[in-house]
Amino acid sequence: MTKEKLTKYWTDFKNYPEYADFTGYPEQILTEALDCFELVMTSVTTKPIKRWGAKEINAGLTALADATSDEDNEGLIITYDITAAYLRYLAEEGKIRVSFDDLETVLIDFEEKEDLQGPVLPADTLFSDPGERSYQADLPEWREYVANDIMAYSQEWLRAYFETPTWQNATSDIDQGTLEMIIETLVRTAYDEYRKTPKSWTKKAITGVMTGRLIRNVNLIATDYQALAPAVTEFLAFVGQNGWLNAKRVSDYQRFINAAAPEMIALSQDRQNFGPAKLIGEKLQASGIDLSDRAAVDDFIQQINADGGVDSLYDEDDLSDENDDQSADVDELKKIMADPTKFAQVARAYDPDPQADYLMASHQSKEVGWQRKTAVKVHELAVQTGLRLWLNRDSYHFPAGSELSDVMSNTMNFIDVLYAQSLVTPAEWTVAVLREMGAWFQSYEVAEYDEMKKFVKNLVDSMYNDGILSKKQAGQLPAAFAGEAIPIVETPKKVKGKVISMKQARKLLKNKRRR
C-alpha cells in the first residue's frame, strides 16, 4: 500500500482562508516545509497521518524545534507557520484524528514555549531585501530553483567565453570582473523583477534592467556604460554560436540592448539617478578608502552623516528637482493613507532600514522575552508612523528645515529601541519606560535632548491621533520623557465583569470562524 503524503490535500488547502497569509511565499518552500514536518513525525510515531492526535503532534513539534539550530530560526518560523495552518485545515475537515480545539491548545502552548506568537511574517522580510524580488499578482511565482539554475548556466557561459581568443584579444574597456557583474545583474534582475530567464528575455525586461538597476545600484564608471552594449552583444553572439541560445533570440537581444544603450548612457550622466549605496561606494572609491578596512569605512560614513547624510552627495540642483517631485508625492500619499492596507505596502518603500539591521542591533535575549516576530511588527508600525507624521507635519511643531529622512529615522529608532531594550510595543509604553529613556538622552545625548523632547511630543500626539496610543499615554508620556511632573489624565472607568484569558479568546474566535 502506498503511504499517504501529508501534502495530499495541498490543492484543497489553497482555498482555505489561512492560506492567504502566505501570499508571496514561494509554493515550493511551503510544501518542502510540510515534507520536513512529515519526516520529523516519522521519528516520533508510526501512526498514519489520519490517526495523528494531540499527543503525536505535540511530540512532532517539539522534535522539530529540537532539530532546528539557533542559526536557522527563520526556517523554524516558516515550517511552523505553514504546518500550523495546514494542520488546522486538516482538523477542521476531519482529515486527522485530533479535534480543532485540542489542536489549537497544542499550537498555542508550543508558540508560547518557542516564542512563535504573532502573525505570519510578510514574505519580503524572509525571502529578500525589500524591492529586490517582486511578488506581483500578475507575474508567475518566483522559484528558487529557477533562480539558481539560470545563474549557474549563465556563469558557465561566461567561463567558456573568457577562455576564447575572442575575449583574450579583446580591446574593450570592460574587464572580466565588470562583464561578469553586468551579466549577473541582467540575469538575476530580469528574473526577479520580470520573471524572464535568459531564454525568454523581452525588450521590456532588458530595457528595464539597463535603465534601472544598472543605473541605480551597480558601480560602473562612464567608460563602462559606453562599452556595455558592444561587450554584452559580443558575449551573446558567442552564446548563440555555441547553440545555447538560438540565432533569432540572440539577434533580438542584441537589438534590444543597442536600442536601450543611449537612454542608459544618458541616465548614467545624472547622479540624481544613482541610489544611496552607489553614491557612497563611488565616494569611498574616490577617497581611496580600502573597503576591507571596516574602521575607515565607518569613519567615512559618520563623516557623511555629519555633512548632512546621503543628501549631501547629490548636487544642489538635483535636490531641488527631487523636492519638487516629493511635493507631488505628498498629495498622492495622503490619499493612500485612507487605505491602511495599501498605505502599509507603500510605507515599506520609505523604510530607513530596508536591510533589517534593527534585528541585528543590541536587544534583550530571547530567554527574557524578545521575539523576532514582534520586533518586525513593531518596526513596520514605526515606519508607517514616521511616514504619517511627516505627511501631517503641518499639524505639529517641527523646526524649519526638517527632512523626511530625519523624521523617518528618529521615529524608527525611537520605537525600535524601546522594544529592543524594554520589550514594550507602543501600546505598552508607560511613564516609567519613557522616563528612563528621557534620562538616558539627558545623560548621553545632551546636545539632542531638547530637540528630542519636542520630537517625542509630536510623535506621541501623532500616535494618539492615529489611534495607536491612549488618551492617558498621550497626556503623560511626553512629560515623562522630559522629566517633568506627570499630569493627571481622566480616563473612562473599567467595567467590571467576567474576564477571559487571551488563550480562551483565541479559541472562541477560531470556533466562531469555524462555524
Side-chain angles (χ1 to χ4, degrees), residues 162-190:
F162 293 138
E163 294 174 357
T164 65
T166 302
W167 169 257
Q168 293 168 2
N169 298 323
T171 57
S172 171
D173 289 330
I174 288 183
D175 60 25
Q176 178 173 330
T178 302
L179 183 58
E180 286 178 328
M181 181 168 58
I182 291 169
I183 297 301
E184 178 182 340
T185 301
L186 181 58
V187 172
R188 187 186 303 279
T189 310

Side-chain angles (χ1 to χ4, degrees), residues 21 123 266 440:
D21 293 341
W440 183 90

Side-chain angles (χ1 to χ4, degrees), residues 32 46 50 64 88 155 194 224 236 286 296 317 336 338 343 346 369 386 392 415 429 472:
E32 286 178 353
T46 58
K50 63 183 179 182
L64 175 67
R88 288 190 188 103
Q155 288 167 0
Y194 301 91
D224 292 334
L236 289 172
D317 290 342
I336 295 174
F343 184 73
V346 171
N392 294 323
I415 295 176
W429 288 354
K472 183 176 181 179

